Amino acid sequence: MNKKEFWIETYGCQMNDAESEALKITLKARGWREALTPDSADAVILNTCSVRQTAENRLWGRLGFYKHAKKEREFKLTVIGCMAERLKDKMFSRVPEIDLIAGSFQKTRIADYLEKTFSADPEIKLIGQEEYEFFTRHSNNDFKAFVPIMHGCNNFCTYCIVPYVRGREISRSFKDIYNEIDSLDSGNVKEITLLGQNVNSYTIQAGSRNMDFPALLESVAKRVTNIEWIRFLTSHPKDLSDRVIGIIKDNPVLCNHIHLPVQHGSNKILKLMKRNYTRESYLKLAERIRKNLDNVSLTTDILIGFPGETEEDVKYTMDLIKEAEYEDAFTYYYNPREGTKAYEWGDPVPQDTKIERLNRIIELQRSVTRKKRLNKIGRTMKVLAEKRSKKNKLELLGRTEFDDMVVFPGSADSIGKFINVRIEDISGDTLRGKEL
Ligand code: SF4
């Protein structure tokens, strides 16, 4: 076939971002070009997310849009990712114009099948579930890169669809991880993030050697020479060990930022969610992290409106936010996901109650975030400049190792470089400063 133009839309988590980037690299290596707009693409690929109903609703909207567009012009439509895994039959029946569906597994072979959709006899419209294979490269030598180290999850938190759509945990061979990191390290990459649904469960047996997550983290920290920041996402609080905290402390290349999703502050709700920790054990862990790591930034996820949640449970969560003093939190309200354990318990907390509780949580976290950021005024911070500000073309946006967003005057030449910025002010949640 003549190589053509592709367009990829990505929804959901960083793992999807990483896999979409990897697919772009694969397609470009086979002679494809990235289209500037979807209207000129010969192949449109939607990489989907199933974690929340809102993400799925958006995707149905996009499928409606492309179904209509297919009446106007010729192009191939491919759907991949978690929602494709979960709802493939429904997708084919509602949008028969879809040319190819591949779920969460055989993404490395999508390019083969995508090219076949252009032949007179495409053979296959659905790539089945086989063992997950990791792409070999997930970044095109940008200054920031994701490096997946594992896939799937064995935890089965009662609200979460991930183990059903991404399957059981599979750890990537550490040799493949090293290969990818070595090639990023010899390029322009300044920051990498080791990715997995629960990175702390990473484990690989190679001969007599067992590599667990702390061992991997330490070896990666010692291995890199040009990469200056290493992060990891996501950590389950029941699995983040003191060994990991010690390794972060001893290796300055590991960022002093830990995302530690608590989900709720009430022991009753944590038990119903099957999170396998208590608010007390979580807070002790947070305290150990703060005690050992200088100026560490702790961020979290909070899920409000779970079945059985009362006002008292919300109060526990608000108290926990005050005690943990998160630098930031990603907050959301509960949506039942069909197929999960909690789906059987219905959705008893009324929608307006969920929204009202969520708003209180957001407001509280904002005040905690603001207080913590105000304390940074006057400090000089190392910032990785990421892009131009949309509001003011003369300003740049960047992030600190603690994941604070910083705005400062600067030119496009600085993008992708580390800049020392003196923090002078805060607007909203964003730090503002000047280059030193
Ligand atoms: S740890 Fe729980 S919330 Fe996270 S992906 Fe696994 S099942 Fe979902």
Side-chain angles (χ1 to χ4, degrees):
M1 64 170 285
N2 287 332
K3 293 300 160 79
K4 300 170 183 245
E5 292 195 348
F6 67 88
W7 173 261
I8 301 185
E9 287 177 27
T10 308
Y11 300 85
C13 63
Q14 288 95 341
M15 189 64 95
N16 271 10
D17 287 335
E19 287 171 343
S20 284
E21 279 308 303
L23 186 53
K24 283 182 193 175
I25 292 166
T26 310
L27 287 170
K28 284 179 185 170
R30 295 167 80 119
W32 287 71
R33 287 187 315 276
E34 192 166 0
L36 293 177
T37 68
D39 312 337
S40 64
D42 303 286
V44 169
I45 303 161
L46 305 178
N47 192 359
T48 62
C49 171
S50 240
V51 169
R52 274 180 273 287
Q53 188 59 46
T54 42
E56 288 195 355
N57 293 348
R58 245 173 103 201
L59 212 284
W60 283 120
R62 293 306 282 161
L63 281 174
F65 172 82
Y66 285 116
K67 181 184 169 97
H68 181 74
K70 269 195 160 244
K71 293 190 183 124
E72 312 285 316
R73 68 180 192 90
E74 176 65 24
F75 66 96
K76 302 295 177 189
L77 181 57
T78 294
V79 191
I80 64 176
C82 295
M83 187 178 163
E85 185 67 47
R86 198 172 95 79
L87 298 172
K88 37 181 132 25
D89 297 339
K90 198 168 169 186
M91 276 184 187
F92 273 137
S93 75
R94 276 171 67 170
V95 190
E97 295 81 356
I98 294 173
D99 297 283
L100 180 67
I101 289 187
S104 308
F105 294 82
Q106 274 305 328
K107 290 187 178 160
T108 51
R109 283 170 42 207
I110 289 168
D112 290 339
Y113 289 106
L114 179 61
E115 289 178 358
K116 283 186 190 154
T117 63
F118 288 86
S119 69
D121 176 19
E123 276 176 48
I124 192 163
K125 281 189 86 171
L126 175 70
I127 307 179
Q129 198 184 91
E130 296 165 36
E131 189 161 324
Y132 184 80
E133 275 175 23
F134 289 89
F135 285 102
T136 50
R137 183 153 181 136
H138 301 79
S139 157
N140 215 0
N141 209 20
D142 216 348
F143 55 90
K144 286 173 79 160
F146 290 123
V147 179
I149 62 166
M150 59 177 301
H151 182 264
C153 182
N154 293 351
N155 284 314
F156 290 92
C157 301
T158 54
Y159 54 86
C160 181
I161 197 76
V162 167
Y164 303 92
V165 289
R166 287 204 170 246
R168 299 303 91 78
E169 288 167 1
I170 300 169
S171 294
R172 185 178 178 192
S173 114
F174 63 84
K175 287 191 186 127
D176 287 356
I177 296 172
Y178 288 165
N179 281 341
E180 181 164 11
I181 291 176
D182 288 350
S183 101
L184 296 170
D185 197 37
S186 61
N188 297 319
V189 177
K190 301 286 191 301
E191 172 190 314
I192 58 169
T193 303
L194 308 180
L195 267 192
Q197 259 77 37
N198 179 17
V199 287
N200 297 278
S201 302
Y202 179 87
T203 178
I204 279 277
Q205 192 72 39
S208 60
R209 193 170 167 203
N210 177 261
M211 176 78 92
D212 60 5
F213 180 64
L216 177 75
L217 192 63
E218 188 167 36
S219 67
V220 169
K222 303 238 179 284
R223 193 173 186 91
V224 297
T225 48
N226 294 315
I227 290 167
E228 291 187 44
W229 282 352
I230 300 175
R231 303 179 188 275
F232 55 88
L233 270 179
T234 296
S235 292
H236 195 303
K238 75 177 168 53
D239 296 324
L240 185 91
S241 66
D242 288 349
R243 240 172 100 209
V244 169
I245 299 171
I247 289 165
I248 299 174
K249 186 176 175 164
D250 293 342
N251 292 276
V253 70
L254 298 172
C255 290
N256 276 10
H257 165 225
I258 298 183
H259 187 67
L260 197 63
V262 68
Q263 305 298 358
H264 214 278
S266 153
N267 281 337
K268 180 188 94 189
I269 300 294
L270 287 172
K271 197 161 179 203
L272 286 170
M273 289 176 164
K274 200 170 155 270
R275 291 291 289 173
N276 292 319
Y277 52 83
T278 61
R279 62 177 281 128
E280 292 77 17
S281 66
Y282 180 95
L283 284 167
K284 277 195 188 127
L285 173 61
E287 195 184 319
R288 288 202 299 282
I289 293 171
R290 294 237 186 251
K291 212 164 103 192
N292 281 287
L293 305 178
D294 286 344
N295 296 317
V296 68
S297 157
L298 258 192
T299 56
T300 200
D301 298 338
I302 294 175
L303 171 53
I304 282 297
F306 193 73
E309 183 188 81
T310 61
E311 262 309 308
E312 193 186 13
D313 299 317
V314 177
K315 187 173 173 314
Y316 277 128
T317 305
M318 297 187 76
D319 288 348
L320 182 132
I321 291 174
K322 288 182 210 153
E323 209 167 318
E325 291 201 305
Y326 296 112
E327 268 67 13
D328 217 339
F330 178 72
T331 51
Y332 57 115
Y333 64 75
Y334 177 69
N335 268 153
R337 310 304 294 130
E338 196 175 350
T340 61
K341 181 73 191 155
Y343 187 78
E344 297 165 18
W345 306 331
D347 192 11
V349 181
Q351 181 76 355
D352 50 356
T353 306
K354 285 187 204 167
I355 292 173
E356 188 276 325
R357 288 176 181 171
L358 182 65
N359 284 341
R360 263 188 282 154
I361 296 282
I362 292 172
E363 206 174 305
L364 172 63
Q365 181 55 50
R366 271 207 189 127
S367 68
V368 176
T369 299
R370 193 172 164 80
K371 189 176 121 204
K372 302 221 76 159
R373 300 230 162 113
L374 278 171
N375 283 338
K376 293 182 175 164
I377 292 178
R379 277 172 63 183
T380 297
M381 302 179 90
K382 181 172 161 182
V383 174
L384 179 55
E386 294 186 357
K387 56 186 171 189
R388 273 186 203 279
S389 156
K390 276 192 191 141
K391 288 188 193 148
N392 182 345
K393 290 256 169 328
L394 301 175
E395 291 184 328
L396 298 178
L397 291 179
R399 282 188 186 270
T400 66
E401 87 167 277
F402 313 104
D403 212 33
D404 306 297
M405 178 79 86
V406 182
V407 181
F408 58 99
S411 73
D413 300 345
S414 298
I415 293 174
K417 296 184 184 144
F418 286 107
I419 309 287
N420 283 323
V421 176
R422 189 179 156 77
I423 306 301
E424 296 186 330
D425 200 0
I426 170 171
S427 68
D429 287 347
T430 307
L431 297 173
R432 303 190 71 88
K434 288 222 172 78
E435 185 174 343
L436 276 193

